[in-house]
Amino acid sequence: MNLDELDGRLITLFTAQPQIGVLGASRDLGVARGTVQARIDRLGDRGVIRSWAPQIDPASMGYPVSAFCTLEIRQGRGHTPVVDHLSGIPEVLEAHTITGSGDLFIHIVARDNADLQRVIDAVVDDEHVIRANTAISLATRIPLRTLPLVQSASERPPQS
């Protein structure tokens, strides 16, 4: 889906002020309330806006240790059994199928290094996981972001 300037301005506004609401956005952007609602619906229907849920910080909930694991899995049964296993571990935040020497790349969190060992043990406690290679994140230099991409896609220069 191509984004136009209004889409970019709308997403930028809701990113900066997630509680502004449709009426507030229409006033701020200088467009009709129906236009804002139609744009939001269209962006949601096409999967551009995936969620209005709050963004949760695991560190603020007592999980300050963040790590990334590359998993090698037993071939022949596909990724599904391992993904099903990983889905049952709350500390596994996301999993991606990858190319290269590994098969899955997962992001995990833990309360401390001893807890990280517990989480890794839970991850590899599956007959389909052959090996895990883990790297602990020391600092997040660029947190997950999409706004620069939205601004670029809508051909609107980033605001400072």
Side-chain angles (χ1 to χ4, degrees), residues 24-101:
S26 69
R27 289 179 180 153
D28 198 77
L29 296 172
V31 297
R33 182 182 178 280
T35 300
V36 170
Q37 187 64 59
R39 292 292 182 116
I40 288 172
D41 292 345
R42 181 176 56 106
L43 291 166
D45 290 345
R46 295 190 177 167
V48 175
I49 296 175
R50 293 187 306 191
S51 174
W52 295 99
Q55 295 181 10
I56 307 300
D57 178 20
S60 295
M61 294 178 18
Y63 295 86
V65 178
S66 180
F68 298 89
C69 299
T70 302
L71 304 181
E72 291 180 38
I73 64 171
R74 194 169 315 284
Q75 302 301 307
R77 299 236 9 237
H79 293 84
T80 303
V82 178
V83 171
D84 289 345
H85 167 69
L86 296 173
S87 295
I89 303 170
E91 295 86 356
V92 175
L93 300 184
E94 56 185 329
H96 302 269
T97 301
I98 59 171
T99 61
S101 62

Side-chain angles (χ1 to χ4, degrees), residues 70-137:
T70 302
L71 304 181
E72 291 180 38
I73 64 171
R74 194 169 315 284
Q75 302 301 307
R77 299 236 9 237
H79 293 84
T80 303
V82 178
V83 171
D84 289 345
H85 167 69
L86 296 173
S87 295
I89 303 170
E91 295 86 356
V92 175
L93 300 184
E94 56 185 329
H96 302 269
T97 301
I98 59 171
T99 61
S101 62
D103 300 299
L104 287 170
F105 188 71
I106 64 172
H107 181 195
I108 61 177
V109 293
R111 294 185 182 280
D112 53 35
N113 284 354
D115 191 45
L116 178 61
Q117 182 63 61
R118 179 193 59 79
V119 174
I120 293 168
D121 289 346
V123 165
V124 300
D125 187 24
D126 182 273
E127 65 181 326
H128 300 97
V129 177
I130 298 170
R131 182 174 297 111
N133 184 336
T134 304
I136 298 174
S137 173

Side-chain angles (χ1 to χ4, degrees), residues 11-25:
I11 293 169
T12 299
L13 178 61
F14 273 100
T15 300
Q17 301 176 53
Q19 296 178 335
I20 192 167
V22 173
L23 183 58

